[in-house]
Amino acid sequence: MDIEAIIRNMTVEEKIRLLAGASFWSTHAVERLGIPSVVLTDGPHGLRLSGSDETGDILANAKPATAFPIEAAMAATWNERLVEEAGRTIAEECQHYGVGILLGPGVNGKRSPLGGRNFEYYSEDPYLSGRMGSAFVRGVQSGGVGTSVKHFVANEQETNRMVVSSEVDERTLREIYLLPFEMIVKDAQPWTIMCAYNKVNGTQMANHDGLLNGVLKNEWGFEGLVMSDWGAVEDKTASVRCGLDLEMPGPGARDAEVLEAYRNGLVTDEQLDDHVRRILGVIQKIAASKRDVPALEADRHHEVARKVAEEAIVLLKNEGGLLPLAKGANIAVLGKFAEIPRFQGGGSSHMNPAKLDIPLDALSAFAHTVYGAGYADESPDEELIEEAAELAKGKDAVIVFVGTTEKIESEGYDRADIGLPESHLRLIEAVARVNPNVAVVTHSGSAIDLRPFERSVRAIVHAWLPGQAGGSAIANILFGETNPSGKLSETFPLALEHNPSYLSFPGDIASVRYSEGIFVGYRYYDTKKLDVLYPFGHGLSYTEFQYANLRLSADRLENGGTLQVTFDVTNRGARAGKEVAQVYVRDIKASVPKPDKELKGFAKIGLAPGETKTVTVELDERAFSHYCPHLRRFAVETGVFAILVGSSSRDIRLSATVFFHSGDETRLPLTPDHSLKEWLEDDRSASRIREALRNANVDEASPLFPILLGMPVRKLRLLFPALEGLSAAAAE
Ligand code: BGC
């Protein structure tokens, strides 16, 4: 396809037509010029291809496809290779069904555990989200299928998502909410990006010139196409002018409006051609990498989904080594989710799984099991609870399945609280009273409140919404076939009220203020030194890992330099296992507010019993920087940084420091409104100001002096004419 020749041959009407979908799930073909239509559909946990192209009923007769663990779980694997493999597998299914673009991954943030789509997003940490999202995009696109990284940007809630304005300061936007998109655009070149429904600082994302044309396309060099979320375009002409390439869904009804705008000079040839070039570029890639995949290899794909689920499951607690359970033991399996698996969230990512493992069946392959449903719905059923407690008596161990219900976690609305259903809590309570060996398997896509039973059970295994192979993955973990290696991709706080967004989530119909700024998740809890239930990065293993010998490649860094952080990890136990070693950076003293620590690198390492591996994680300049609004870029402030290596954000095993000598001037110039103290403490002005004070015979030992220190130099001069020289010095 010679795209430039095609553009030259297209009429204005043909170009405009291409800027909207042809149907709910496809783009327009231009047969005259040999341009095919492409199919796009959801994503991100597998392919949800609706049986009907004409309707918005996304669940109608969806084709069977492999349901992978939710994104939050994928992130909990901290295993990029595995996530990439999941992406490649999904791409194969897309090829089989003739889908050109998979609508995902979602990389929005997690301001609040209440976010209805948190399950569909990776992490509260933007760096982890960026790494996982890049891996997923690489995987899918290596299979010749495009991705659509969504929802660009600041779409952290479902409440009012179509109208609300997310009010975010620039530093927060850059460091927290734009970062995953930036990393993925630069590292993995996604073919498409999906813009969000919401407004950002008052402007609809579908026509946000500054973020679409400015940041995404010009600054980051994004070469793919930007499509709208389904129905996000309000003002089509503005969208065309501001960088939105493709309006979805179709068929577009506003071609005449755009044509008129074009005739009036509001939309230029250059703008139209740029949109068409981007759309054709993606269509060309899809057409060129189309493969014939005659059959779905459902069994093999199921195995990939199982591997991901196993690495995603997080062993939160294992008192006295209750787990792994002995094969052949007598076990009570309780809770309806053991029989009717809780494996995916609701909304556009809801799939029709090609296969489905039943936890109870998988557990029964390892042990003698009895089963009781324990609950039917969210309100307690005394009979079921009693029956379950009876079954639990005298068993070697009891496994209770609990979690959020389908109704609780879905696209379209936020959660009301982080509690589990009353019926689930009552079941655990009753069972824990009659058997000391209770292991609880929890299902949810985001943080839940485990406190009601945390102390009365010996083991807790967080299984997320683990996809279609979750049942066997859970059994393999519980019986030690697989050593758990998942680590939390978000904090489980002690209380919802501790969450930094608690007072400003979800805002009102007009706006939501991101008042916690950059202090999201552990960035807040760790800085505030608040206890949490389970910290970010936490996850136990059936073996133990020891960290030693931290060495840094340099003790001094400059702009453009990189730092190799090297350390040894040893498996001290008797089982093979995998550890996620996390590298955090702490800015010891900064002129702007900074979190206690921030994740800047990690590695997942497999170790045989007794084995030691040397791990190197590289940190570049960006790892030490913050976004400097007045420089309009990321910059490093000269100073000492601590490098913290650990097994979770609250389990730091090794640390060292490095001095970064930066050429960036991250500080704003001082003004006459700044205080005398600030002028004196600033090395750019200290000597001048000191001299001016000397000239005015100011006695720094006088009891009055601390009062002067707090005053703006502009006022000092007005109050004390002798200090005239001071404001002159400050003005220089
Ligand atoms: C969702 C998107 C999804 C699209 C198509 C929208 O409502 O926000 O994530 O890709 O629908 O189903």
Side-chain angles (χ1 to χ4, degrees):
M1 215 194 260
D2 178 347
I3 290 177
E4 293 310 316
I6 292 176
I7 292 176
R8 278 195 302 276
N9 271 314
M10 284 175 91
T11 64
V12 172
E13 287 81 358
E14 280 171 334
K15 289 178 186 173
I16 290 173
R17 209 166 99 95
L18 207 56
L19 309 191
S23 71
F24 225 83
W25 307 114
S26 67
T27 63
H28 277 291
V30 188
E31 270 132 33
R32 181 176 83 78
L33 299 166
I35 300 166
S37 158
V38 303
V39 174
L40 10 86
T41 195
D42 291 295
H45 310 129
L47 180 64
R48 197 237 39 252
L49 182 60
S50 161
S52 159
D53 183 39
E54 302 309 322
T55 129
D57 181 358
I58 53 174
L59 304 181
N61 311 315
K63 306 278 190 224
T66 306
F68 281 82
I70 54 164
E71 276 191 23
M74 291 216 198
T77 69
W78 299 63
N79 185 335
E80 291 164 293
R81 278 221 304 270
L82 199 52
V83 170
E84 214 174 308
E85 190 182 345
R88 262 199 315 276
T89 310
I90 294 171
E92 251 180 73
E93 303 196 354
C94 290
Q95 293 279 11
H96 170 73
Y97 285 118
V99 169
I101 296 171
L102 183 83
L103 304 177
V107 300
N108 293 103
K110 303 191 190 196
R111 285 188 67 218
S112 166
L114 299 178
R117 281 182 102 169
N118 277 5
F119 70 93
E120 245 183 285
Y121 304 139
Y122 291 111
S123 174
E124 73 185 20
D125 182 89
Y127 175 80
L128 181 59
S129 301
R131 292 271 299 260
M132 291 298 147
S134 293
F136 186 78
V137 168
R138 276 197 303 274
V140 174
Q141 294 190 170
S142 71
V145 172
T147 51
S148 196
V149 188
K150 65 192 188 183
H151 309 86
F152 188 77
V153 60
N155 176 191
E156 272 68 44
Q157 64 189 49
E158 293 302 282
T159 308
N160 302 324
R161 68 171 163 154
M162 294 183 168
V163 291
V164 78
S165 174
S166 299
E167 302 291 316
V168 203
D169 67 80
E170 191 175 3
R171 182 175 164 211
T172 302
L173 198 57
R174 295 281 188 162
E175 289 185 24
I176 305 291
Y177 299 104
L178 284 170
L179 184 66
F181 291 98
E182 180 185 1
M183 288 172 69
I184 298 170
V185 164
K186 292 180 175 170
D187 298 346
Q189 283 85 39
W191 296 358
T192 89
I193 299 264
M194 186 190 293
C195 85
Y197 287 119
N198 51 281
K199 306 182 185 98
V200 171
N201 298 330
T203 305
Q204 201 83 43
M205 269 315 301
N207 49 258
H208 203 303
D209 185 57
L211 287 167
L212 297 181
N213 275 331
V215 173
L216 179 60
K217 291 183 171 177
N218 294 335
E219 198 184 310
W220 298 345
F222 173 64
E223 288 172 355
L225 74 83
V226 181
M227 71 178 77
S228 70
D229 199 344
W230 267 230
V233 174
E234 298 264 339
D235 180 340
K236 173 88 182 190
T237 301
S239 291
V240 172
R241 287 162 55 86
C242 294
L244 186 98
D245 302 298
L246 177 66
E247 176 193 359
M248 287 304 294
R254 292 181 270 195
D255 289 6
E257 175 197 321
V258 181
L259 187 61
E260 196 188 320
Y262 171 80
R263 292 203 172 120
N264 294 336
L266 277 174
V267 168
T268 64
D269 281 309
E270 207 188 340
Q271 283 163 346
L272 281 188
D273 288 354
D274 182 57
H275 295 311
V276 170
R277 193 173 290 116
R278 287 168 182 272
I279 294 169
L280 291 181
V282 172
I283 293 178
Q284 183 177 46
K285 281 191 195 147
I286 294 167
S289 43
K290 221 178 167 74
R291 281 193 293 127
D292 196 21
V293 178
L296 264 195
E297 287 187 58
D299 290 340
R300 186 169 61 78
H301 295 183
H302 187 74
E303 282 309 294
V304 181
R306 187 181 51 72
K307 266 198 300 186
V308 179
E310 284 179 4
E311 287 212 19
I313 292 172
V314 182
L315 179 59
L316 292 175
K317 167 176 179 169
N318 192 18
E319 202 180 292
L322 175 68
L323 301 179
L325 299 170
K327 291 175 190 160
N330 287 314
I331 288 180
V333 178
L334 307 172
K336 202 173 77 176
F337 290 162
E339 196 190 10
I340 301 172
R342 177 81 179 99
F343 70 99
Q344 66 172 337
S348 56
S349 69
H350 196 276
M351 308 178 47
N352 175 13
K355 298 179 71 162
L356 189 56
D357 286 347
I358 308 300
L360 178 59
D361 296 346
L363 292 167
S364 304
F366 287 112
H368 304 291
T369 57
V370 290
Y371 167 71
Y375 50 83
D377 53 34
E378 293 181 15
S379 27
D381 177 324
E382 300 305 333
E383 237 170 78
L384 290 178
I385 293 174
E386 229 168 84
E387 179 203 61
E390 248 348 278
L391 291 172
K393 281 184 190 158
K395 296 294 182 303
D396 298 328
V398 183
I399 306 169
V400 191
F401 283 77
V402 297
T404 57
T405 60
E406 280 231 331
K407 252 192 348 221
I408 295 177
E409 276 186 279
S410 172
E411 175 177 346
Y413 48 89
D414 296 312
R415 280 195 288 169
D417 54 52
I418 59 170
L420 291 179
E422 189 54 31
S423 57
H424 297 203
L425 298 179
R426 287 281 312 284
L427 171 65
I428 299 174
E429 194 188 318
V431 168
R433 237 184 265 134
V434 298
N435 193 314
N437 297 329
V438 177
V440 176
V441 175
T442 50
H443 286 294
S444 76
S446 193
I448 40 177
D449 183 8
L450 308 173
R451 279 177 316 161
F453 57 87
E454 213 260 334
R455 282 160 193 256
S456 53
V457 303
R458 283 182 59 192
I460 304 176
V461 172
H462 189 58
W464 307 99
L465 306 176
Q468 66 178 41
S472 51
I474 292 167
N476 285 347
I477 293 283
L478 292 177
F479 284 93
E481 284 295 291
T482 303
N483 195 345
S485 66
K487 301 258 191 178
L488 286 182
S489 44
E490 63 194 82
T491 309
F492 280 31
L494 274 178
L496 175 64
E497 295 78 7
H498 291 186
N499 181 265
S501 74
Y502 184 70
L503 297 176
S504 60
F505 181 96
D508 57 31
I509 181 86
S511 68
V512 51
R513 223 160 54 76
Y514 284 33
S515 54
E516 69 287 354
I518 58 167
F519 294 96
V520 176
Y522 71 89
R523 285 171 166 71
Y524 174 79
Y525 300 117
D526 288 3
T527 310
K528 286 278 286 189
K529 299 191 175 14
L530 278 180
D531 281 343
V532 298
L533 192 58
Y534 291 111
F536 174 78
H538 168 77
L540 304 172
S541 163
Y542 295 148
T543 187
E544 263 182 36
F545 300 103
Q546 195 182 55
Y547 288 66
N549 296 331
L550 174 62
R551 53 254 191 221
L552 306 182
S553 59
D555 52 15
R556 186 187 155 94
L557 275 178
E558 299 203 344
N559 302 90
T562 56
L563 183 71
Q564 269 76 39
V565 179
T566 303
F567 50 95
D568 300 335
V569 184
T570 302
N571 181 351
R572 283 274 166 236
R575 279 170 186 270
K578 290 182 182 170
E579 168 69 333
V580 178
Q582 301 155 43
V583 178
Y584 296 86
V585 173
R586 169 184 295 151
D587 193 344
I588 304 272
K589 185 170 176 286
S591 67
V592 292
K594 282 216 173 172
D596 172 67
K597 64 174 91 62
E598 296 183 274
L599 181 76
K600 298 296 176 183
F602 60 87
K604 189 157 194 176
I605 323 130
L607 292 166
E611 190 184 5
T612 299
K613 275 187 186 158
T614 298
V615 180
T616 297
V617 168
E618 185 172 283
L619 303 180
D620 61 12
E621 179 173 342
R622 192 66 179 270
F624 301 90
S625 68
H626 64 271
Y627 187 80
C628 222
H630 73 278
L631 293 179
R632 315 215 68 198
R633 63 174 171 83
F634 281 85
V636 183
E637 190 168 292
T638 293
V640 180
F641 293 81
I643 309 297
L644 312 170
V645 179
S647 184
S648 88
S649 61
R650 292 275 172 112
D651 183 6
I652 299 301
R653 307 283 182 88
L654 305 167
S655 68
T657 58
V658 61
F659 180 78
F660 200 120
H661 177 80
S662 172
D664 294 330
E665 184 45 86
T666 55
R667 296 165 302 177
L668 277 168
L670 294 181
T671 68
D673 276 351
H674 281 89
S675 67
L676 178 58
K677 181 166 185 280
E678 285 162 299
W679 279 98
L680 270 173
E681 282 177 354
D682 194 306
D683 56 15
R684 292 169 292 184
S685 51
S687 58
R688 261 188 293 127
I689 299 293
R690 193 130 275 135
E691 191 186 326
L693 288 175
R694 258 198 315 273
N695 292 342
N697 291 324
V698 175
D699 175 9
E700 294 197 20
S702 137
L704 208 65
F705 191 66
I707 300 174
L708 298 187
L709 278 176
M711 294 186 183
V713 295
R714 193 165 53 79
K715 286 281 182 214
L716 284 171
R717 188 197 140 196
L718 294 177
L719 292 169
F720 310 103
L723 291 177
E724 174 136 13
L726 190 65
S727 33
E732 271 167 31

